[in-house]
Amino acid sequence: MRGRPDSPPREHVISTSTPLPPVVGTPRSLTDVYGPGVAVCARPASTTTASRHRTTVDALSARPIAVAGDAPVICSAGGTHPALLAQLRDGGLPVGDDLREFRDEAGFAARVTEAMADGLPISMEYPQPTALCPDERLVKTGHLVGYLNNKATISTFVAPRFHARRSVVTRDELAEATPAEKAWVLKAATNDAHGGSLDVYLHEAGEPVVLPAFTDVLGEFVVEEYLQLARNWGVQLYVGPDAVARLLAVTEQRVDAAGVYVGGRFGLVSPLRADLLAECLAIAQRAADVGYRGLCSLDCAETPDGRPVMLDLNFRITSGSVPLLALESVRPDALDGFAESVKLTAAAPLVDLLAHVRPAVLAGGVLVTSGHDTTRTDNPVAQSTLQLLVHGDDPDDVAARRAALELRS
């Protein structure tokens, strides 16, 4: 696989004997993960915000609010609606008390500049221009974050026996590498970590090929084998200030009929293979050894014939890490049962979505973990989102209550 000429040296990253980390107290907030005095920003760079994914970009910046603890958070005002913050606090979550909100691009830049003026190192979860935030002010550099999240560089951090068959191709090579008669998966290859705005395209053999929009703007892509999966896990880890990678928890992926991620399962999930767990810890430690600090989620799977494979590396705050911090903070016993995450989206005010879920919250077994309302920003598209966690002792009951919330949204 081709690397990039400015990639971190590869001799740092392949070491299959990384020991398991020592047991320490489980983190419950961003302060526990990053240490004191670090500002956190989970918003992708502004180069993506003019696209159709602007709502996603702003919502991502607000996701850590509920578990911020003492950490300052640079976040969209869409996530700081008073009714939402009140709901989060009522749920017992460690909501941040230093929320540095912005409503537009100028406001975002101003909040970053102010945080640096306050002497705060910043944990940027996505690469930002160095003109806005120089490397020396960052907990981890934008180049490193981009490199770790680039779909083309996964093989430099994963031991060979866990590789899926994949190749990196240029736009000129794309047509030949994506024949209609074969099944394959297409991913974007870019250091500009995108926060979910570049879709993964799954092609089934014999179907018409309709290449996604990102093939028109990028020059390099990953073509990966189309795998049938027996089990599919998200391994949630973190690297603290001591540069040691530690396990937070293991979750499972929920996907729709098209193979698109629609939420996670938490608590009593299918047991993770020991070799995959060891490899995930080793991958996170390899990243720690070259400077990564913070949360990460590594997607791995087992095929029907028993083959273990690493699918994706997500070195940032994810939709799996926030619910786990939330549960550890207010309902750690729920991890001895079952839980599923769900995202509700509506072209309606956020207060209407909160009213919609209030009966379920009052009945128990539902925790609101984040939300966003675009009308509190300069975004012309009116859209509200809520992230929730449905938990309980019976997996069928949890799944039914989660499905009922989705159907009524």
Side-chain angles (χ1 to χ4, degrees):
M1 177 172 288
R2 290 194 300 274
R4 296 176 180 273
D6 57 351
S7 300
R10 295 190 180 189
E11 60 268 22
H12 283 286
V13 297
I14 296 298
S15 170
T16 59
S17 59
T18 303
L20 298 184
V23 176
V24 296
T26 302
R28 293 173 169 82
S29 71
L30 298 187
T31 309
D32 298 331
V33 173
Y34 296 94
V38 173
V40 176
C41 178
R43 187 191 198 227
S46 59
T47 52
T48 65
T49 58
S51 75
R52 64 186 175 91
H53 300 285
R54 171 65 188 273
T55 52
T56 303
V57 168
D58 282 343
L60 285 172
S61 75
R63 189 159 57 188
I65 288 173
V67 294
D70 296 330
V73 178
I74 299 170
C75 56
S76 168
T80 61
H81 193 293
L84 173 62
L85 296 183
Q87 177 63 63
L88 297 174
R89 293 190 175 105
D90 286 347
L93 293 169
V95 179
D97 57 9
D98 187 357
L99 304 179
R100 305 188 176 208
E101 64 182 22
F102 58 86
R103 298 177 185 273
D104 52 26
E105 294 299 333
F108 171 69
R111 299 295 87 76
V112 173
T113 301
E114 289 167 3
M116 291 189 295
D118 289 342
L120 295 170
I122 301 177
S123 179
M124 285 290 185
E125 302 299 290
Y126 299 89
Q128 299 289 340
T130 55
L132 173 65
C133 196
D135 285 349
E136 60 269 20
R137 305 306 303 272
L138 297 174
V139 171
K140 60 246 182 179
T141 69
H143 170 73
L144 177 63
V145 171
Y147 181 78
L148 288 170
N149 287 289
N150 191 329
K151 306 302 183 185
T153 60
I154 182 172
S155 294
T156 67
F157 281 85
V158 176
R161 69 171 290 231
F162 299 99
H163 287 186
R165 289 185 289 274
R166 54 175 64 92
S167 59
V168 181
V169 301
T170 65
R171 185 182 294 149
D172 290 341
E173 299 165 332
L174 189 59
E176 184 177 352
T178 57
E181 65 273 13
K182 293 184 179 181
W184 38 265
V185 179
L186 184 68
K187 301 177 180 179
T190 173
N191 273 19
D192 296 327
H194 47 74
S197 63
L198 300 180
D199 301 323
V200 173
Y201 178 75
L202 294 86
H203 175 75
E204 295 189 28
E207 295 294 320
V209 175
V210 183
L211 294 177
F214 67 73
T215 58
D216 294 329
V217 295
L218 298 179
E220 204 168 51
F221 314 92
V222 174
V223 180
E224 187 175 287
E225 63 179 316
Y226 194 118
L227 292 168
Q228 298 297 321
L229 304 180
R231 296 188 292 174
N232 185 7
W233 299 277
V235 183
Q236 315 294 333
L237 307 105
Y238 68 102
V239 179
D242 61 357
V244 174
R246 295 183 174 90
L247 177 68
L248 183 59
V250 176
T251 63
E252 283 185 285
Q253 315 278 17
R254 289 197 302 109
V255 297
D256 63 16
V260 177
Y261 176 82
V262 293
R265 291 191 177 94
F266 302 78
L268 296 177
V269 300
S270 300
L272 177 65
R273 294 172 51 140
D275 56 350
L276 277 171
L277 174 58
E279 178 60 13
C280 287
L281 281 160
I283 291 167
Q285 188 59 53
R286 292 166 196 151
D289 292 344
V290 293
Y292 185 77
R293 303 292 181 268
L295 292 153
C296 60
S297 176
L298 310 184
D299 295 344
C300 58
E302 182 182 59
T303 61
D305 61 358
R307 175 186 166 197
V309 62
M310 294 300 306
L311 299 176
D312 278 312
L313 312 182
N314 303 297
F315 281 91
R316 55 182 178 265
I317 295 173
T318 69
S319 58
S321 51
V322 169
L324 283 169
L325 291 177
L327 284 177
E328 288 289 355
S329 181
V330 300
R331 285 297 307 271
D333 59 302
L335 291 171
D336 294 328
F338 302 89
E340 294 190 10
S341 63
V342 57
K343 177 182 177 181
L344 305 182
T345 303
L350 185 62
V351 291
D352 290 355
L353 267 185
L354 288 169
H356 164 70
V357 303
R358 187 168 295 116
V361 172
L362 292 175
V366 175
L367 184 66
V368 177
T369 59
S370 71
H372 190 266
D373 186 341
T374 61
T375 63
R376 289 172 56 81
T377 74
D378 68 339
N379 192 325
V381 178
Q383 179 175 293
S384 295
T385 60
L386 277 182
Q387 298 275 357
L388 306 101
L389 202 59
V390 182
H391 56 86
D393 296 326
D394 183 335
D396 293 332
D397 173 65
V398 167
R401 288 188 289 119
R402 183 265 303 160
L405 283 167
E406 289 177 318
L407 285 173
R408 293 199 301 265
S409 66

